[in-house]
Amino acid sequence: MPTTSLLRRLGVFARHRYWQIFAVTAVLVVASVYLTSRLRFDTDVLNLLPKNDPVIDIFLETLDSFGSIDYLPVAVRLPERAMLDPYETFVDELAMELKELEEIESVEYHLGDTESLLEEFYPKAVLFLDEDGRARLAEKLSDEGIRKRVQEMRRLLGTPQGQTLKELMLVDPFGLVELFLDRVQGSRGALSVDWSSGYYLSQDHRMLLILAKPVRPPADVDFDELLVAAVEERIAAVQSRWPEMVGVDPEAPAELAADLPPPPEVALGGGYLTALDDARFIRRDAIVGGLTSLAGVLLLFLFAFRRLGPLLFAVAPLACGLILTFGFSELTLGKLSSATSMTAALLIGLGIDFVIVSYGRYVEERRRGGDLASSLAAMAGSSGRAVVVGGLTTAATFYAFLVTDFTGLRQMGFLTGTGILLCMLSVLFLLPALLAWRDDRHRRKSSAPNLYMHSFGLQPLMRACVRSPRVVVAIGVATTAAAAWLAAGLGFEESMQAMRPEGNRGIQVTKEVGERFGSGFDYMMLVLHGDTPEEVLALAAEAAEGAKELVDEGVLNGYGGVGSLIPPPARQAAVLDWLDRKRGDALDIDRIAETFRAEAAAQGLRSDPFEPGIALLGSGLSHSEPIGIRDFADSAQGQALLDRFVQRRGDRPEDGWVSLVYLYPPENLWRREPPPPAVALADELGPQATLTGTAVINERVRSRVRPDAWLAGILGLLAVGVLLYFDFRSLRYTLLSLLPLTVGICWMLGIMALLGIDLNFMNIFVTTMIIGIGVDYGLHMVHRFREGSSPSEVETGMTETGNAIVVAALSTVCGFGSLVFSHYPGLRSVGFVAVLGAISTALVAVTLLPAVLTWVKRRSA
């Protein structure tokens, strides 16, 4: 055949021109090493999602326009029943240090931030009040209400926390902040804190929290490294001052220092630590996975061939293929992600098959007495053709991932499929060149190589399968039926959270913060569109009313929107009318001020420090016009807050406006899908409203991953079938070559069900990978079966090829087995399933397939 003749000529060329092959290989490897050194790591899982999907696109567009509200939570753990004063001092100093970092945009940790906001927004606060709030305001500003408030302030100033609350009292002497405190809480995700402390203190007094807002999103891992290093440096600096904070001289005797309150433990969490640890895991998995796979394969190679020399034949082509692959990935992809980080392990596990089958055939020919030239020709021509077809079929199964919309899977399929072809070419050129070079060295030393290939004790079993095909076929049918029955009960793990890596500090600390404060940092967003600012504000007010009902029902923990800055127009109109009617009596600022001054004097308080607060109240009660977006344009802080909730869609007036209402679900709930009541709320608001967020994305991914998995598997199988038919030119042998694949996958699924290993969003695609593995085994066995001209030749040939298949399967187990040690549970499940698939398909190829081939040949005869 033309292909076989070309491959034989390649073997002859390698025999005489191996130094040229080595030189070209060296140049390509050096260039690829340089390119590989420029590879970057991408930990942003958003980059792995499908493109041009309306549900995902609106999520990405929203994050791009409004930015994330990702914080770097700095958790300060407190000892049980500890006095708070020194730890609050520690938080004060740490917060001041963090504010000086250029990587930090803002820091929130106590109500002092609220005071600065009150000075700006206090005059507008009255416009937020509903009917009940207005009644409570009138009651607080009555003579009796003012008297009670002054008495309460006098009492609070005598308590330990009085000094902390003093500044707030100066701004809000009438205690009106509690009328809209829920809006302050809502803007921070409904954290459950002990507000009386003045700090973000958990209700159980076991944690103080600092929320640092970095200047860049967590997807930038280089920035994350700088950020975390800078923050940890400041934490260490503040911790070194702990003795001073508790009033002890740093040079005091050690026994005195032993009586100090224990220094606080400080932990970082949130998306920045999560992304940073994910990047660390990806690097570790890529390096350790590749090295352990290579070590396992080499040890197996050493055991199978019982010589150190053949290790070179395994290492050199594989290493060359891997280096070329990663150099190619820098040219085409430019980065590695969690999806492509397992490429090295896959290529080692799959590429070693080419080496073992080819070298096994070479060993067989030399042991029969063939010289170097004829053995290389047989290896390159006979097994080489199977290697080429096997490489094409395996690559085709991975290229089938190109039809999926998931970017991560497309990248993995493209890179692995191309890597398979590069490994195949490395074996075809480099292996015969190495063998020729080795043989020439032995000839100069007047010695002959000792060639051997271990059968792992399976030769008697394989011979028995050939000699008793009916019994083996009957056992195979019964085993397959049992496996199919077990596979029917196989479960599917739908939780995306179960795919997260274990030991990630960001996830662990965020979970701890959520447990302490009753809320985490997950959120959803109602995206609202309108043609005018008034339209979008009215829609945001309607959405906020619906969100409030969900909070009352326990579906949400909190919500936040532009309504916390700009009251709904209808409410503002009602408040303005009420102010106009009440300014002469209940809301007379002159009466209120005189009453407050008199009561303060009666309680022994000077009224002068409270005058700015009285003036702020007077400004609020004098409102005669509604406020809107334009009222925030002159304040940088106000505009920054407004931009978080409402923005113009483009530069032209006809582009319209968009507003967000943030919805905060309870911690660890609604991760797989959005709450149905929240979905219903978006539907009620009409086509101008869209619900988005990570829960929505998770649901969307689940709905698309299964069809894509089936499509990739079917296309991969069709591509393999077409390639096999063009190779054999026979439908019978094409179907027989697929027998290890189809039966092996059935056995694999049955064993998974028996061991309790569920399918998930990652290992479901292993079925497509197993197509490439199982087809190669069947392909090699059928090719060798067709070479035999007599029963003895058929039995001997299939037994020898079976030995190579067993070694190849074990090497695949070593290659994929490294995934079992991955930090990612999803990748670990991929490793387990791939190992089961390789063993199952190989077992079918060396037992059931020879029996079926023998049985079919006897029936035909």
Side-chain angles (χ1 to χ4, degrees), residues 293 296-297 300-301 348-350 352-353 356 777 806-816:
S293 295
V297 167
L300 174 69
F301 214 80
I348 291 173
L350 295 169
I352 195 64
D353 292 1
I356 291 172
Y777 299 157
V806 170
V807 178
L810 293 176
S811 69
T812 301
V813 169
C814 293
F816 282 108

Side-chain angles (χ1 to χ4, degrees), residues 261-274:
E265 298 179 21
V266 183
L268 304 180
Y272 294 89
L273 258 293
T274 300

